[in-house]
Amino acid sequence: MIINLIDEGSRQPKYLQLVDTVRQAIRKGQLLAGDSLPSVRELSHNLHLNRHTVMKAFAELIAEGWIESKERVGYRVVTTLPVDSSYLAAVGDQSKTPPRKIEYRFVKAVSHQLAYSDSDYQYDFSGGRPDTALFPFAEFKSHMSDVLSRPDVRQLGYGESEGTPELIAEVKRYLRKARAIIDRDIVITNGSQEAIYIVAQLLLHAGDEVAVEALGYPPAMAAFASAGADLVAIQQDKNGIVPDDLVAKIQQGNIRLIYLTPLHQYPTTVTLTVSRRMAIYQLAATHGIPIIEDDYDHEFHYRCQPLAPMASQDPQQLVIYLSTFSKIMFPGTRIGFMALSASMAEAVKNYRVLINHKSNVFMQSALARWMKEGGFERHIRRTTRINQQRRDHAIAMLHEMDCFEFDTPDGGMALWLKIKKPTVSAAALAQQAQKIGIYIQHEGAYHLVAGDNQDCFIRVGFAGMNKADFSLGMRLLAALL
Ligand SMILES: Cc1ncc(COP(=O)(O)O)c(C=O)c1O
């Protein structure tokens, strides 16, 4: 076979050009396993290359495993190429025979579309979106800059999968002070979603049942389903999930885990009453069923102090408490935390290593400093006040518009609105709104049992934009009605 350099004008060193030429010849099947290569002398003569250049190329090809040097034979293509020449020809020259692409067998694919891009809606009423314009970036930057200027090099490795000690200490202190949670171990996670996923993997066998709110948070449901669990919808009303229905479902089936959003039920915004919390806790304790308490926007409570989490009165340590910085800061922070019994914390800490070892150390350290210095609580006080004003503004405006029936939520970042006009479909409204740059959520996305969908509720966030924008967007939405 005649070997020519691929590209005379290339700026690559000559020896690498020769390496490429030989590699490609082998890939294309022009050189087969065991074929002899021209001698160094011959090649250097033909290609006008220095002998050293050719020898350097051959040495590289030997190191990569393409050719070998045999005494008295010279250089030849290795005899142990793992694939036959027709295959090499197919993959080597894609212009002639495009290779057939593999069809992957997805055994754990998520059945519906959960991933999305953050589209640029002019009016984005998604209920879980905080207003990033309120975030004190300059203040946070000084902490991040500090952390980068004087990094604690001991923390830059794979260790401490439970989180950096400073952030754990700050979260512990904050939980004790603001949420009355005292006797738990803290594990920092990449948002609550990672926490939900880990718990699902740790506690569920295929075929186990998980009790979830009948209208619920799709990413959590998908995480349980991906662990092989069957989801069981628990009825809910204006006071949250109905304990009697939970009793019935526990007696009928094989419920191994309960998932709740007790403070601001997702998506209906209802607060689970104290008496129901106690009833549910007693039930879970009697049957030995752990409860995931997903407390994702705890501080944003306006009618009174937020109810203390179920995890704060949990002598049996059956509550797996999760929370997040996604609403106080922004979702891209990807920092959440769990408050757990010692045995659960140990299991979670070990399981994390399988996924991603730990959370970003610089973000953890900057956050810990921001918390220690008081900026975090200042920001919470400010955003809670602003969110309350935004909620009140939204309520006043919606009363005036008179297109929806609704209860004023005690807290949270969103409203759950029933369209008054019986002929209007919530799903169709969301679709029409999207066409004019407005994002709203509709009830069809949240029902575990599709047949329960009345198609008349929408979820409208009020925290993600200022009052003026909320009014403008709402008027456009009302015009569609
Ligand atoms: C019910 C619920 N749980 C948790 C989260 C927060 O998830 P993460 O911490 O992964 O951002 C959200 C955010 O929308 C939510 O609505």
Side-chain angles (χ1 to χ4, degrees):
M1 184 220 152
I2 299 167
I3 293 177
N4 285 317
L5 294 193
I6 299 168
D7 177 5
E8 290 290 342
S10 165
R11 292 171 68 185
Q12 230 188 359
K14 291 281 185 226
Y15 90 93
L16 284 182
Q17 289 184 45
L18 183 52
V19 169
D20 265 357
T21 307
V22 176
R23 251 198 236 121
Q24 292 228 18
I26 296 172
R27 280 215 181 96
K28 287 181 185 174
Q30 291 165 330
L31 282 170
L32 299 177
D35 277 359
S36 294
L37 293 169
S39 69
V40 172
R41 194 161 51 87
E42 206 180 324
L43 262 185
S44 59
H45 180 262
N46 292 349
L47 300 176
H48 309 293
L49 294 175
N50 186 300
R51 278 188 194 199
H52 285 299
T53 308
V54 176
M55 283 172 67
K56 200 169 168 192
F58 280 4
E60 175 69 21
L61 287 161
I62 290 171
E64 290 182 13
W66 295 103
I67 66 171
E68 59 196 2
S69 160
K70 271 277 206 222
E71 236 177 284
R72 286 195 293 278
V73 175
Y75 294 96
R76 66 176 189 185
V77 178
V78 290
T79 50
T80 50
L81 277 184
V83 280
D84 68 25
S85 57
S86 60
Y87 168 78
L88 286 172
V91 297
D93 189 355
Q94 300 192 359
S95 61
K96 281 190 196 142
T97 326
R100 196 161 57 86
K101 300 215 171 96
I102 186 172
E103 280 187 18
Y104 289 99
R105 185 176 65 112
F106 294 110
V107 296
K108 284 214 170 176
V110 176
S111 58
H112 48 286
Q113 186 71 31
L114 286 176
Y116 59 93
S117 60
D118 283 318
S119 309
D120 212 3
Y121 289 99
Q122 194 175 1
Y123 300 102
D124 185 346
F125 289 107
S126 63
R129 201 175 63 92
D131 186 353
T132 45
L134 301 178
F135 189 73
F137 287 101
E139 182 181 310
F140 197 78
K141 184 180 157 202
S142 72
H143 297 294
M144 191 56 102
S145 164
D146 242 20
V147 165
L148 288 167
S149 312
R150 283 183 291 278
D152 182 346
V153 290
R154 288 165 310 172
Q155 293 180 352
L156 301 183
Y158 288 113
E160 286 160 348
S161 58
E162 70 276 26
T164 62
E166 302 83 51
L167 184 57
I168 287 178
E170 286 306 318
V171 168
K172 243 186 195 163
R173 188 188 59 75
Y174 181 71
L175 284 186
R176 184 173 1 96
K177 180 178 153 191
R179 304 191 192 174
I181 295 176
I182 45 174
D183 54 349
R184 294 303 154 97
D185 285 2
I186 304 300
V187 177
I188 306 297
T189 58
N190 288 306
S192 339
Q193 187 59 34
E194 185 186 39
I196 295 169
Y197 180 80
I198 292 174
V199 174
Q201 294 296 320
L202 282 174
L203 296 187
L204 298 171
H205 267 313
D208 287 347
E209 289 179 344
V210 181
V212 296
E213 295 148 335
L215 278 147
Y217 184 52
M221 297 198 199
F224 302 134
S226 122
D230 297 323
L231 302 174
V232 177
I234 309 300
Q235 285 166 22
Q236 56 196 83
D237 61 20
K238 288 188 173 222
N239 292 315
I241 70 161
V242 179
D244 284 348
D245 193 42
L246 182 59
V247 174
K249 302 279 167 56
I250 288 175
Q251 280 166 358
Q252 282 160 19
N254 178 32
I255 289 176
R256 296 299 181 133
L257 184 64
I258 300 169
Y259 170 77
L260 297 177
T261 50
L263 188 61
H264 305 132
Q265 202 276 327
Y266 189 98
T268 66
T269 77
V270 165
T271 300
L272 187 65
T273 58
V274 171
S275 51
R276 287 198 178 179
R277 287 168 186 238
M278 289 168 73
I280 292 165
Y281 185 87
Q282 276 166 23
L283 250 176
T286 307
H287 293 272
I289 305 173
I291 297 174
I292 295 183
E293 178 176 24
D294 182 352
D295 198 11
Y296 58 101
D297 60 355
H298 185 87
E299 286 72 18
F300 301 148
H301 205 74
Y302 319 118
R303 195 170 67 86
C304 53
Q305 286 300 304
L307 284 182
M310 294 173 78
S312 68
Q313 278 141 27
D314 174 22
Q316 302 213 356
Q317 301 209 329
L318 58 81
V319 178
I320 296 165
Y321 181 79
L322 329 176
S323 194
T324 180
F325 288 92
S326 290
K327 313 297 164 182
I328 299 169
M329 295 173 74
F330 40 84
T333 321
R334 300 320 302 140
I335 300 276
F337 53 89
M338 309 173 79
L340 303 165
S341 69
S343 63
M344 190 68 197
E346 188 61 21
V348 170
K349 183 173 123 178
N350 284 317
Y351 197 90
R352 272 203 94 189
V353 175
L354 271 62
I355 307 176
N356 52 26
H357 289 280
K358 63 200 286 187
S359 301
N360 183 303
V361 170
F362 292 129
M363 183 51 99
Q364 290 189 69
S365 302
L367 186 47
R369 283 168 198 229
W370 190 47
M371 291 179 87
K372 192 165 188 177
E373 175 270 338
F376 172 73
E377 289 187 44
R378 264 197 311 279
H379 180 60
I380 286 178
R381 282 195 295 277
R382 175 162 179 256
T383 44
T384 305
R385 199 176 58 245
I386 292 173
N387 286 348
Q388 177 165 12
Q389 289 163 359
R390 289 181 179 182
R391 180 202 65 165
D392 294 345
H393 168 78
I395 297 289
M397 176 166 187
L398 289 163
H399 277 309
E400 197 183 301
M401 275 168 53
D402 202 27
C403 304
F404 304 104
E405 278 170 35
F406 59 94
D407 290 324
T408 300
D410 294 345
M413 301 162 76
L415 304 168
W416 185 244
L417 307 173
K418 182 173 183 185
I419 303 166
K420 277 192 173 170
K421 250 191 193 166
T423 51
V424 174
S425 142
L429 178 66
Q431 215 170 32
Q432 280 176 334
Q434 220 160 19
K435 285 188 193 143
I436 57 165
I438 298 176
Y439 179 77
I440 54 167
Q441 296 157 307
H442 66 93
E443 72 170 297
Y446 306 112
H447 283 284
L448 180 59
V449 180
D452 291 347
N453 184 10
Q454 301 167 55
D455 198 20
C456 59
F457 282 94
I458 59 169
R459 183 172 151 92
V460 165
F462 55 77
M465 64 180 94
N466 63 39
K467 291 189 248 177
D469 285 343
F470 184 92
S471 303
L472 287 170
M474 262 300 146
R475 289 211 174 89
L476 287 173
L477 190 69
L480 290 180
L481 285 166

